[in-house]
């Protein structure tokens, strides 16, 4: 989100040089800089001990490619708690182990995606209404089901590379 008006008083912002940050939207009345905001989200490569990953079909996200579990962090929620909640909500599985992988800026949607590997016990999925389908896919075939270069593809590639000991 990019501010044009002050969210505190409603006045139109000016541009003011703030240290080494450069020209920043600034409210002269409230004397407060207003940096651009982004939404913080998680994305999780949900894996089991058989070297398989849970890949989802969510037609509202992509009609042609699979995706990983993802979701928006709620106020007061840690990134780790968000992963645990989203995995349970979207595919009905309990996370047994969690490992932070990397952050991925998603400028198109003004998001910061925090990437995790989430280990679960392989079992039947209980999918939510926002998931059209989900399947276990071997590491060997996972990347071909994701859109090359996408954040999900980058995350899954990192998880697979680490599992092979190449990282």
């Amino acid at each position: 989100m990019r501010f044009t008006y002050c969210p505190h008083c409603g006045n139109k912002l000016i541009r003011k040089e703030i240290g080494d940050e450069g020209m920043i939207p600034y409210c002269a009345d409230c004397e407060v800089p207003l940096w651009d905001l982004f939404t913080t989200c998680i994305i999780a490569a949900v894996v089991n001990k058989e070297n398989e990953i849970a890949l989802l079909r969510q037609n509202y996200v992509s009609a042609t490619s699979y995706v990983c579990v993802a979701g928006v962090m709620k106020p007061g929620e840690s990134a780790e708690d968000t992963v645990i909640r989203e995995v349970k909500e979207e595919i009905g599985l309990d996370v047994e182990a969690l490992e932070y992988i990397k952050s991925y800026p998603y400028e198109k949607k003004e998001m910061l995606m925090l990437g995790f590997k989430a280990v679960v016990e392989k079992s039947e999925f209980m999918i939510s209404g926002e998931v059209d389908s989900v399947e276990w896919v071997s590491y060997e075939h996972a990347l071909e089901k994701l859109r090359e270069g996408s954040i999900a593809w980058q995350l899954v590639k990192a998880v697979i590379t680490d599992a092979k000991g190449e990282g």
Side-chain angles (χ1 to χ4, degrees):
M1 176 187 338
R2 301 182 194 293
F3 291 101
T4 304
Y5 295 91
C6 178
H8 306 289
C9 71
N11 287 331
K12 188 157 177 67
L13 301 175
I14 62 169
R15 306 282 298 168
K16 181 177 179 180
E17 189 162 354
I18 307 289
D20 61 0
E21 299 297 326
M23 300 300 281
I24 301 295
Y26 184 84
C27 179
D29 289 340
C30 296
E31 298 182 343
V32 63
L34 293 155
W35 280 271
D36 296 338
L37 298 177
F38 53 84
T39 303
T40 308
C41 304
I42 62 87
I43 183 166
V46 179
V47 302
N48 63 39
K49 294 175 178 101
E50 297 174 30
N51 290 333
E52 295 174 316
I53 184 163
L55 295 181
L56 290 64
R57 292 305 301 257
Q58 291 179 295
N59 290 332
Y60 78 94
V61 176
S62 174
T64 57
S65 299
Y66 285 77
V67 296
C68 291
V69 169
V72 175
M73 288 178 59
K74 294 181 178 180
E77 188 175 52
S78 71
E80 293 81 1
D81 288 342
T82 304
V83 174
I84 292 165
R85 176 180 55 78
E86 287 289 344
V87 170
K88 186 69 169 179
E89 284 176 4
E90 290 189 7
I91 60 176
L93 300 179
D94 295 314
V95 174
E96 295 180 348
L98 200 53
E99 178 185 347
Y100 174 75
I101 303 297
K102 180 183 174 190
S103 63
Y104 303 88
Y106 188 13
E107 291 184 51
K108 178 179 166 186
K109 296 208 175 181
E110 296 183 342
M111 296 177 167
L112 178 64
M113 308 290 292
L114 304 177
F116 287 85
K117 172 184 167 185
V119 180
V120 299
E121 188 70 35
K122 183 176 181 177
S123 60
E124 293 296 316
F125 298 111
M126 300 286 292
I127 62 173
S128 75
E130 68 181 86
V131 176
D132 295 302
S133 65
V134 61
E135 62 185 75
W136 289 113
V137 178
S138 69
Y139 283 3
E140 180 182 351
H141 297 290
L143 290 176
E144 64 197 43
K145 292 186 174 280
L146 299 164
R147 186 176 57 79
E148 188 172 352
S150 69
I151 292 171
W153 185 90
Q154 293 174 58
L155 174 63
V156 169
K157 185 171 195 258
V159 168
I160 293 169
T161 299
D162 184 58
K164 291 180 178 178
E166 298 172 3

